[in-house]
Amino acid sequence: MCWISIDIETDGLIPSDYSMISIGAVIVEKDLSKKFYAELKPISDNFNEKMLSIGGFKREETLKFEDPKTVMIRFKEWIEKNCKSKPYFISDNNGFDWQFVNWYFIHFLGENPFGYNSSNLRSLYQGLNKDMSSHFKHLRKTKHSHNALDDVIGNAEAFWEIIEKYNLNI
């Protein structure tokens, strides 16, 4: 499998009513050199100012971001270029991140290259440690800033540490 760490920022809680504002992705391998980042124009007039501000955005600037369909086409092409095997989605909060990425892929392209599966990084770490209260965040090297690219790099760094520590075969 080709593991891709993904993080998004949004202006609300659910896709369609609200918008994915930015997406970051990195292929999980030692050098973490294969990265994707884009900022997407809102698809809805609805937005939650507080959620939007988490990523450091103002509504006015998001209206100048890239067309979402164009971004999803570029993202799919990036996945195809960088994955020689099936892409697999992993995230710190896959329940939230995957719902937006899936909706955008299905809505704009009619298909999701990840299929219908994703993994949660925290759950993986908890299972490996046999401790439901453990968290992987101390394994990040890149500061968690709520910039989708920074955050996805930090999560991929942590995942790589987990892979090495537990000798996982990915």
Side-chain angles (χ1 to χ4, degrees):
M1 276 190 256
C2 176
W3 289 86
I4 303 177
S5 181
I6 296 179
D7 186 65
I8 67 165
E9 298 300 327
T10 71
D11 65 6
L13 292 174
I14 59 172
S16 182
D17 288 351
Y18 295 97
S19 306
M20 180 166 61
I21 298 301
S22 64
I23 184 168
V26 64
I27 304 293
V28 179
E29 54 192 12
K30 190 166 183 78
D31 68 358
L32 303 178
S33 63
K34 297 173 184 155
K35 302 170 189 160
F36 180 88
Y37 178 77
E39 295 173 337
L40 301 82
K41 186 183 294 186
I43 59 166
S44 166
D45 292 334
N46 300 328
F47 67 98
N48 178 301
E49 192 69 43
K50 184 177 178 184
M51 286 198 71
L52 191 57
S53 69
I54 290 171
F57 298 111
K58 299 270 187 227
R59 178 66 174 189
E60 299 74 36
E61 72 180 307
T62 67
L63 297 173
K64 298 174 188 168
F65 288 170
E66 193 172 357
D67 174 70
K69 183 174 183 176
T70 303
V71 169
M72 299 315 287
I73 290 169
R74 283 194 310 107
F75 188 33
K76 182 177 183 238
E77 290 170 347
W78 177 86
I79 292 167
E80 290 169 346
K81 176 184 171 192
N82 289 288
C83 287
K84 304 306 175 214
S85 57
K86 178 163 178 46
Y88 202 83
F89 188 112
I90 189 161
S91 177
D92 179 15
N93 185 352
N94 67 317
F96 185 77
D97 296 344
W98 186 86
Q99 72 172 327
F100 275 89
V101 173
N102 179 62
W103 189 93
Y104 272 68
F105 268 132
I106 298 297
H107 180 78
F108 290 110
L109 305 184
E111 64 177 328
N112 179 351
F114 294 105
Y116 299 100
N117 298 305
S118 66
S119 287
N120 186 291
L121 186 54
R122 182 175 183 184
S123 297
L124 171 68
Y125 189 72
Q126 290 170 331
L128 290 167
N129 283 290
K130 297 179 175 130
D131 178 359
M132 294 303 288
S133 65
S134 64
H135 211 297
F136 70 89
K137 291 181 179 183
H138 66 283
L139 299 173
R140 292 176 177 152
K141 294 178 181 124
T142 301
K143 182 182 180 208
H144 191 80
S145 66
H146 291 289
N147 170 284
L149 187 57
D150 289 346
D151 293 355
V152 79
I153 290 170
N155 291 341
E157 291 163 345
F159 187 29
W160 191 257
E161 290 291 320
I162 293 166
I163 290 165
E164 289 190 327
K165 177 179 179 181
Y166 293 94
N167 198 27
L168 300 179
N169 181 13
I170 64 164

